[in-house]
Amino acid sequence: MTPRTRPPALPLAAPVLCRTLHGGAVAVRAFAQPASVIGTPASAEQVIAIHFSGDAVVEQRLGTAWRTARLERGDLTLLPPFTPTEWRLHGAVAFLHVAVDHDWLQQFARTRRFIARRARLCVQPLLGQRDATIAALGTLVWDHLHRPR
């Protein structure tokens, strides 16, 4: 199926769980998404997604470019702010979605001296990067979110 003949994108399923931090500047959501085509609008959030499902092939449109990846448990996806996305999921996926307000992240990076005072933090998009430490941290958060209160 070519990008032009894809079915219309649907909104992301409702999160299974959601917690907010830092006065709402950071939102951590757990999603379980069936095989589908979904679209996400542009927002002022930097998104970090950690995948928890088994192997799943996904196609991602970020801006005008399409990319394909096989995502495995613990893989990371980074989405820059202010960019709409469209996804074709070839199988069910579960993921932890960490959305950080772009302006809050800029200020946080400056106060921690990760970037110079007048510099702008620019995170590049990433699809399916493996990082064992982040995957382990994500698993701890996932388990914590699923624990009864």
Side-chain angles (χ1 to χ4, degrees), residues 125-140:
L126 184 68
L127 178 63
Q129 180 68 41
R130 290 180 178 90
D131 185 296
T133 303
I134 297 294
L137 178 61
T139 299
L140 287 173

Side-chain angles (χ1 to χ4, degrees), residues 10-132:
L10 302 171
L12 192 60
V16 176
L17 295 162
C18 181
R19 303 284 188 272
T20 57
L21 310 164
H22 299 286
V26 179
V28 181
R29 300 173 184 103
F31 286 95
Q33 184 74 38
S36 56
V37 177
I38 57 174
T40 57
S43 74
E45 298 172 328
Q46 169 69 54
V47 174
I48 304 159
I50 305 170
H51 303 273
F52 286 97
S53 59
D55 291 358
V57 174
V58 301
E59 297 173 71
Q60 175 202 54
R61 182 177 60 84
L62 185 66
T64 59
W66 283 92
R67 301 185 292 173
T68 302
R70 174 176 292 282
L71 299 178
E72 298 176 6
R73 184 177 178 85
D75 283 357
L76 297 173
T77 296
L78 300 178
L79 300 173
F82 314 112
T83 306
T85 62
E86 187 174 334
W87 300 82
R88 182 164 182 83
L89 308 174
H90 301 277
V93 296
F95 56 95
L96 190 64
H97 182 274
V98 181
V100 183
D101 178 78
H102 181 69
D103 292 333
W104 184 88
L105 183 60
Q106 294 290 328
Q107 186 61 34
F108 178 85
R110 282 191 196 99
T111 59
R112 301 301 189 280
R113 299 180 192 234
F114 295 145
I115 60 173
R117 189 186 327 171
R118 293 198 184 343
R120 297 288 296 167
L121 181 65
C122 181
V123 178
Q124 296 299 311
L126 184 68
L127 178 63
Q129 180 68 41
R130 290 180 178 90
D131 185 296

